[in-house]
Amino acid sequence: PDDMAIPRTLERQYDKTVYSLNIKDEITLGSHALTFGPNSEYQRNHINGWSFLIPSFDQVSAGAFVYDKLRLNDVWILHGAVRYDYGRINMKAHTDWFSSDIVSNGDTLQQYLQRASDLTRVFNSVNWSAGINYTPGAFTLKANIGSSFRMPIAKELGANGVNYHYFRYEKGDPTLSPERSYQLDVGLGWSSTDWSVELSPFFNYFPNYIYLNPTSQHDYYYGAGNQVFHYAQSRVMRYGGEVQVRYKFLEHWSAEILGEYLYNEQLSGPKKGYTLPFTPPPSLLLNVSYHPLSGKTLHENYVSLDYRLTAKQDNIVPPEKKTPGYRVLNFSAGSKIRLGRRDL
């Protein structure tokens, strides 16, 4: 309409202003190396335009942490940390500037639909972590256990529109609880002059994992029939790992194998027993690299060839579709050119 203040050519505008403060200090007490400090952030997010995805909102977050690194000897290191987080988000209501046809009891009514309501949510949490580093010569062991916390973001709480980046309709849930996790990760490594091997398994348990849940619904009011996704949460178990083997078989040649695997399962909710949406399938990367000698002008030269094998993905969440495996061949080469005191 001519009487609207929104420019005709402005569909969406996001205006974000962020103020942040981070303070950190380190002190040594005998064998203890302590790192501690607070941090805080304020966000002001305003929207404009004649279409809608997320509402305007203000967000405040603050936290403080203490991290202790205890060196027992040249082989053993212990470390642990505690952190407190606080967050508050204020979201503003939004109503369509145009009316929509709503069918009620067989009658068609004209209504200005409310896309978002006023909402204020407050979150806080205390989290911890502990771990060890063991490095006896060529062998290394790193192990960590801990908890984590993430407050839901504005899109997860208040989205209600078409996300053009993915051609899907996203709808948030204002009742979402903060995401929490307990995790264990281990890193095992061994290296010699020509060989190096790394194994990195992990395990996560989420009492309430936030994710984008695909539905069988489609939107025809605000887009051209895009699939509707709802932000949801459930208990989730997730585990997997990476393995990397590297071998230098000639003075300037090396070969590498990198494998990745991930498994997860929903332990509650309407899709209990299924995996999470968008779960990547297992993959294997084979690499051969050549590193020529450096000259006066050119240095850190390399020529590299990758062959990535990605498996098919049959472990899906309905109505996701199964995807076939694929192969990618990638060639790259590069060098650094020394220009005076700088590199190009």
Side-chain angles (χ1 to χ4, degrees):
D2 294 333
D3 59 352
M4 286 187 61
I6 301 172
R8 290 176 176 268
T9 56
L10 179 61
E11 182 177 2
R12 290 183 185 173
Q13 176 177 312
Y14 301 97
D15 184 9
K16 172 183 284 191
T17 304
V18 180
Y19 301 93
S20 60
L21 174 66
N22 296 277
I23 301 174
K24 184 176 72 172
D25 198 6
E26 299 178 1
I27 61 174
T28 301
L29 299 175
S31 300
H32 295 266
L34 293 172
T35 305
F36 56 91
N39 67 280
S40 62
E41 182 178 275
Y42 170 71
Q43 291 187 28
R44 184 178 66 238
N45 296 265
H46 289 170
I47 66 170
N48 199 358
W50 44 261
S51 79
F52 179 81
L53 178 59
I54 59 172
S56 296
F57 67 95
D58 296 332
Q59 180 175 305
V60 176
S61 59
F65 75 96
V66 177
Y67 166 71
D68 183 17
K69 180 179 179 181
L70 174 60
R71 182 177 294 275
L72 299 179
N73 49 48
D74 293 337
V75 175
W76 286 97
I77 297 177
L78 305 180
H79 50 89
V82 178
R83 178 180 175 88
Y84 172 77
D85 283 288
Y86 168 87
R88 186 184 77 243
I89 185 169
N90 297 313
M91 304 176 63
K92 298 175 175 57
H94 184 90
T95 302
D96 282 340
W97 54 269
F98 55 90
S99 60
S100 298
D101 292 338
I102 303 299
V103 178
S104 177
N105 297 324
D107 297 327
T108 301
L109 307 175
Q110 293 287 317
Q111 292 185 7
Y112 293 89
L113 299 183
Q114 188 175 44
R115 308 288 291 281
S117 303
D118 286 327
L119 178 69
T120 298
R121 297 287 306 275
V122 177
F123 309 94
N124 63 83
S125 177
V126 175
N127 292 283
W128 55 272
S129 69
I132 60 170
N133 288 17
Y134 177 58
T135 55
F139 177 77
T140 61
L141 165 65
K142 297 181 180 180
N144 297 278
I145 187 171
S147 66
S148 64
F149 156 88
R150 184 179 71 82
M151 61 181 285
I153 61 177
K155 186 169 67 169
E156 295 166 337
L157 295 170
N160 193 0
V162 179
N163 186 333
Y164 293 123
H165 295 287
Y166 303 102
F167 291 100
R168 66 189 179 209
Y169 192 98
E170 297 181 2
K171 188 169 179 59
D173 182 353
T175 66
L176 289 176
S177 300
E179 183 178 278
R180 299 184 183 276
S181 170
Y182 301 94
Q183 62 265 354
L184 169 66
D185 58 90
V186 179
L188 298 170
W190 176 83
S191 62
S192 66
T193 303
D194 298 328
W195 285 91
S196 67
V197 180
E198 294 183 16
L199 177 64
S200 306
F202 65 87
F203 176 84
N204 294 113
Y205 171 71
F206 296 85
N208 46 348
Y209 181 84
I210 300 175
Y211 69 100
L212 198 56
N213 181 31
T215 74
S216 58
Q217 301 170 339
H218 292 80
D219 160 61
Y220 295 99
Y221 286 98
Y222 302 99
N226 293 290
Q227 185 179 2
V228 177
F229 289 74
H230 287 262
Y231 282 100
Q233 59 187 173
S234 66
R235 290 191 295 118
V236 168
M237 173 189 65
R238 182 173 67 180
Y239 62 83
E242 297 181 0
V243 59
Q244 182 181 29
V245 179
R246 195 169 189 270
Y247 174 54
K248 183 178 179 182
F249 57 90
L250 290 172
E251 183 179 1
H252 305 295
W253 289 85
S254 64
E256 183 178 14
I257 299 176
L258 176 63
E260 299 175 339
Y261 175 77
L262 171 66
Y263 176 83
N264 47 51
E265 182 179 336
Q266 299 188 50
L267 304 178
S268 66
K271 295 186 177 179
K272 179 180 177 180
Y274 288 102
T275 185
L276 289 170
F278 315 114
T279 296
S283 67
L284 186 69
L285 177 70
L286 309 176
N287 169 266
V288 176
S289 297
Y290 173 61
H291 299 271
L293 289 173
S294 299
K296 294 182 178 180
T297 304
L298 300 179
H299 62 111
E300 297 187 28
N301 312 304
Y302 72 91
V303 178
S304 180
L305 182 66
D306 291 338
Y307 184 54
R308 177 179 290 276
L309 299 92
T310 303
K312 64 180 181 179
Q313 181 56 285
D314 293 333
N315 193 15
I316 60 168
V317 186
E320 275 191 320
K321 295 181 179 180
K322 297 181 179 180
T323 55
Y326 59 90
R327 311 288 182 264
V328 176
L329 190 66
N330 179 67
F331 173 79
S332 60
S335 180
K336 289 186 177 180
I337 304 174
R338 184 170 292 114
L339 301 174
R341 296 184 178 180
R342 299 185 181 276
D343 287 332
L344 174 64

